Amino acid sequence: MALINRLIAAPAALCLLCCLPVQANDTLSVNASVRAGLEQQSNVNISELEQASGQSDVATLLEADIKVQWQTTPALRLDGGYSVQDKNYHQADAFDSRLQLAHLDASYQLGATTVGANLYYASADLAQARFLTLQQASLYSMHSIGDSSFVRPAITLSDKTFARFSERNASTASASLDAFWFFASAQRFITLGLLYDDEDSRDPAFSYQAPGIRVRFSASYPLWQLEHKLQLGAKWSQRSYSAVQPDDNTAAASRRRDNQSQFEASWQLNLSAKLAVLTKLEHGDFSSTLQSADYRETRSSLALQLSF
C-alpha cells in the first residue's frame, strides 16, 4: 500500500504537466508500470559511501513508475516522470533502501537538431532514514547525421547533500558526448559515449576528476511468437583525487586513484502487451589505492513487470 501511495503522490510538477489543457492538435500520453522481484548481490555495499560489507544477500525489489509525454506542437515536447524503488535485504537490514526520482524534460526540434533541458530530483533513504538528496540540471542537443546516426553533447550540473555525512556534500560539473547508430529498422542500436566528471566536495579528500567511456548495444526482436529485448553495456572511468593522503597499502603520502569498470546484461521477455519478465546481470570492479574503496560485486535480478 505504501508503494501505491507514493506512486499516486507524484511531484507537483508532474501533476501540473498532466493537468495542463490539451489542444486538438496536441498528443498526451501517460504510461505506468509496477515491478516485483528478487536481487542477489555478492557484496552488499553503499556505493556513494564506498563501503562494502563483504557479505552476500538476497533482496526483495518493489518498483513503480509513471511517465507523461506531451507533444504540444510538432516541434515542442515535454516529458515528466516519477519512480520509486524499495529494496529490502533478507539479512542486511542496515542496507535496506528506498529511492525516489522525479524528472522533467523539455525539448525543441530545429530541423535536424533538437535542443533540450532537463531537471532531476532524487531522494534516497537508507535503513528507513534520510540518506541522500540529489538535484541535477542538464542542457543537451541531439544532432542528426544522416538517417540513422546521431550525436548528443550535454552539460550537467548537480548537487549532492548527505543527511549524516556532510563532509561528502558535493557539486559536480559533467560533460558528455554520445554517438548513436540505429539499424534493422531502428530495432537495434549501438551507443558510444565519452564523459568527464569534476566533483568538488566539502572535504577535499572526496574531490576528484574522472574521464570515462561507455558503450551500449540494444536489440528488439521476435522469437517463438514473443517479443524480446536484449541490452549489453559497459562503462569505465578513472578517478584522480585532488587531496594528498596516506595510501592504505603503502602508508606513504600519495594522491588517491580509482579505476571503475562496470558491465551489465539485461533481457526482457514480453509475455503480452502488459506483462513482461525482466532479468539482469551486473558486475562491478572498483579498484582503488584506498583499501576501503577497493572491492568487487556481482548482482543478478529477476522481476515481473505489469504495464498499464
Side-chain angles (χ1 to χ4, degrees):
M1 181 63 68
L3 186 62
I4 296 176
N5 290 337
R6 287 183 177 273
L7 176 61
I8 296 174
L14 181 58
C15 294
L16 178 61
L17 181 60
C18 293
C19 297
L20 288 174
V22 180
Q23 303 300 320
N25 296 328
D26 293 357
T27 301
L28 179 67
S29 63
V30 181
N31 299 288
S33 63
V34 293
R35 290 171 294 280
L38 297 173
E39 178 183 275
Q40 197 283 333
Q41 190 169 357
S42 66
N43 188 356
V44 179
N45 64 82
I46 307 173
S47 60
E48 287 292 341
L49 296 182
E50 300 158 336
Q51 293 181 1
S53 67
Q55 303 296 318
S56 64
D57 201 355
V58 176
T60 301
L61 297 176
L62 293 174
E63 301 175 319
D65 64 67
I66 181 171
K67 298 176 182 178
V68 179
Q69 182 184 108
W70 183 23
Q71 192 78 43
T72 64
T73 71
L76 179 61
R77 172 173 153 176
L78 299 177
D79 293 90
Y82 171 78
S83 64
V84 57
Q85 180 198 74
D86 280 342
K87 182 183 294 187
N88 296 289
Y89 289 94
H90 291 182
Q91 297 178 338
D93 296 342
F95 293 86
D96 288 350
S97 64
R98 169 171 290 165
L99 174 64
Q100 300 180 77
L101 174 65
H103 80 274
L104 188 63
D105 183 284
S107 61
Y108 191 85
Q109 186 171 353
L110 298 167
T113 297
T114 299
V115 294
N118 57 50
L119 298 173
Y120 282 81
Y121 178 84
S123 175
D125 296 343
L126 185 65
Q128 300 182 344
R130 180 57 57 88
F131 169 60
L132 172 66
T133 300
L134 172 68
Q135 300 177 73
Q136 180 175 291
S138 180
L139 295 174
Y140 66 89
S141 61
M142 180 79 81
H143 305 274
S144 174
I145 304 175
D147 296 331
S148 57
S149 301
F150 302 85
V151 293
R152 184 185 186 277
I155 297 293
T156 302
L157 301 177
S158 59
D159 284 305
K160 293 189 296 186
T161 303
F162 291 84
R164 291 174 289 171
F165 306 93
S166 59
E167 69 277 4
R168 287 182 176 266
N169 291 353
S171 297
T172 307
S174 304
S176 62
L177 178 63
D178 293 283
F180 301 82
W181 294 274
F182 290 85
F183 50 99
S185 300
Q187 294 300 301
R188 301 175 187 176
F189 70 86
I190 297 174
T191 305
L192 177 63
L194 303 175
L195 56 153
Y196 183 85
D197 296 331
D198 187 346
E199 183 157 301
D200 184 17
S201 300
R202 175 176 293 184
D203 185 340
F206 302 110
S207 298
Y208 65 83
Q209 296 78 44
I213 186 172
R214 58 192 172 198
V215 62
R216 178 173 294 274
F217 168 76
S218 178
S220 299
Y221 56 93
L223 182 64
W224 301 318
Q225 298 182 334
L226 296 172
E227 290 295 322
H228 301 251
K229 184 175 182 179
L230 174 67
Q231 290 191 322
L232 304 173
K235 179 181 178 181
W236 173 86
S237 64
Q238 183 180 70
R239 294 184 178 183
S240 299
Y241 285 78
S242 304
V244 175
Q245 59 185 17
D247 188 312
D248 283 356
N249 298 320
T250 65
S254 64
R255 292 188 185 275
R256 175 183 164 186
R257 289 185 178 274
D258 292 8
N259 286 301
Q260 300 189 350
S261 301
Q262 297 166 276
F263 307 92
E264 66 176 59
S266 64
W267 174 50
Q268 176 175 325
L269 171 62
N270 295 323
L271 301 176
S272 68
K274 297 183 180 296
L275 188 63
V277 176
L278 310 178
T279 61
K280 192 171 186 178
L281 178 65
E282 302 172 88
H283 178 74
D285 188 340
F286 305 94
S287 62
S288 175
T289 55
L290 185 67
Q291 187 174 7
S292 60
D294 189 275
Y295 66 94
R296 292 161 184 78
E297 65 157 341
T298 300
R299 304 186 192 194
S300 57
S301 62
L302 175 64
L304 195 63
Q305 174 178 273
L306 179 63
S307 303
F308 47 93

